[in-house]
Amino acid sequence: MSLTINIVGSGNFEIDPEKDYYAEGSLITMTATANSGWMFSEWTGELDSSDNPERISINSDMTITAVFLADFDNDGVSNKEENAGPNNGDGNNDGILDSLQSNVGCLLIGNATDYVVLETPPGTLIKNCKAVVEPPNNNYPYGVDFAYGFFSFTVAGIRIGGSTSTTFYFPSEVIFNTYSKYGQTPDDLFNHWYDFLFDGQTGAKINKNIITLNFVDGKRGDDDLTENGIIVDIGGPGVKSTISPEFGSNSNGTGDTYGCFVGCLPEISVY
């Protein structure tokens, strides 16, 4: 059985193992690598997936396409997505397209309707920026509604051991009062959810729809806890409510469930 992989955009792929023909049921791993100024988007054809690498079983002749999208600022958000954002692609209103600024990202949030703009200081770089529809652990903080989902990104180009910030600009009608993160902390090296409000050094400062995350390389909030000039982040803004949680079954038998996700609040569309 044969496997044919085509490319749309600019990038390459590797197949492991790479053969002219495969026995039925053979397992292979495909890895797509984008060229500079491009990003991998998805596999199409006889495979519908955005996982990379992707592992598949060969059970018939297959033709698959690796799709790459232009991403001139290499932030992980395609030019197409950023240029369709608020203010005709200039979401931070500085007169320059977000798609041309390596320290500015503009992306669709989890409801695929509204946009958020995030900005880091000049000289820093936003990498691997994306909205997270399915977070790595669904045991969200108790009593918090995450109507806009979660976000993951990396901030590079900071001084080793230094500080930096990331500011989120959400639609003007949205008001948050908390920010939660998922990962390691200095006092707990197992990945877990925790509140990330400002403690005088690190954490979120919230002004209604504008959230500024304060980081120190290797400290609380930097998921790799390593002084390496890179901040690794996954988390999201929320609204702490006084509404009683819903009850259902869970692994400890208490019947409590913890928080809710995108579907628990009405969609908010302001653009």
Side-chain angles (χ1 to χ4, degrees):
M1 298 179 178
S2 65
L3 172 65
T4 301
I5 298 184
N6 300 315
I7 292 177
V8 171
S10 183
N12 299 287
F13 62 87
E14 293 182 358
I15 303 172
D16 182 26
E18 185 172 9
K19 299 179 180 180
D20 291 333
Y21 295 96
Y22 296 91
E24 184 176 0
S26 297
L27 294 174
I28 67 163
T29 300
M30 306 183 302
T31 304
T33 303
N35 291 334
S36 180
W38 292 77
M39 58 174 282
F40 172 74
S41 176
E42 60 183 335
W43 306 100
T44 63
E46 292 176 82
L47 174 65
D48 181 13
S49 172
S50 58
D51 291 341
N52 187 35
E54 175 64 276
R55 187 168 174 83
I56 64 171
S57 175
I58 304 295
N59 295 304
S60 63
D61 292 341
M62 299 184 71
T63 299
I64 297 171
T65 299
V67 179
F68 298 91
L69 300 177
D71 176 20
F72 291 164
D73 56 1
N74 293 299
D75 61 1
V77 187
S78 71
N79 292 356
K80 180 180 179 181
E81 184 168 337
E82 291 197 271
N83 291 339
N87 198 31
N88 295 316
D90 180 16
N92 65 338
N93 293 292
D94 66 352
I96 305 172
L97 289 175
D98 300 335
S99 60
L100 300 179
Q101 298 182 85
S102 57
N103 69 316
V104 180
C106 180
L107 70 159
L108 284 165
I109 64 170
N111 66 14
T113 300
D114 301 319
Y115 279 83
V116 61
V117 176
L118 58 158
E119 184 174 12
T120 59
T124 60
L125 308 170
I126 297 173
K127 300 286 187 181
N128 305 316
C129 182
K130 61 182 178 179
V132 179
V133 177
E134 294 293 338
N137 183 301
N138 64 4
N139 191 27
Y140 319 128
Y142 172 83
V144 179
D145 292 334
F146 296 101
Y148 271 66
F150 304 93
F151 305 90
S152 67
F153 59 92
T154 298
V155 183
I158 64 174
R159 176 176 57 84
I160 292 178
S163 61
T164 191
S165 63
T166 300
T167 299
F168 284 83
Y169 301 92
F170 287 90
S172 59
E173 296 179 5
V174 181
I175 297 177
F176 298 107
N177 60 17
T178 192
Y179 196 94
S180 299
K181 279 182 45 59
Y182 181 79
Q184 304 177 79
T185 52
D187 60 347
D188 186 348
L189 299 182
F190 290 94
N191 288 332
H192 61 285
W193 286 103
Y194 60 97
D195 290 338
F196 191 57
L197 296 177
F198 190 63
D199 63 3
Q201 184 180 37
T202 63
K205 294 181 178 179
I206 301 173
N207 181 13
K208 297 181 180 179
N209 66 309
I210 300 174
I211 299 177
T212 298
L213 306 181
N214 297 275
F215 298 107
V216 176
D217 187 24
K219 303 297 184 182
R220 180 185 81 118
D222 181 7
D223 291 350
D224 63 12
L225 293 181
T226 303
E227 293 187 5
N228 55 8
I230 298 173
I231 301 294
V232 179
D233 182 274
I234 181 170
V239 178
K240 279 189 176 181
S241 67
T242 58
I243 300 173
S244 299
E246 295 179 3
F247 288 88
S249 60
N250 65 13
S251 59
N252 64 19
T254 65
D256 296 336
T257 57
Y258 298 91
C260 57
F261 188 45
V262 175
C264 68
L265 288 183
E267 291 187 356
I268 304 170
S269 181
V270 298
Y271 294 118

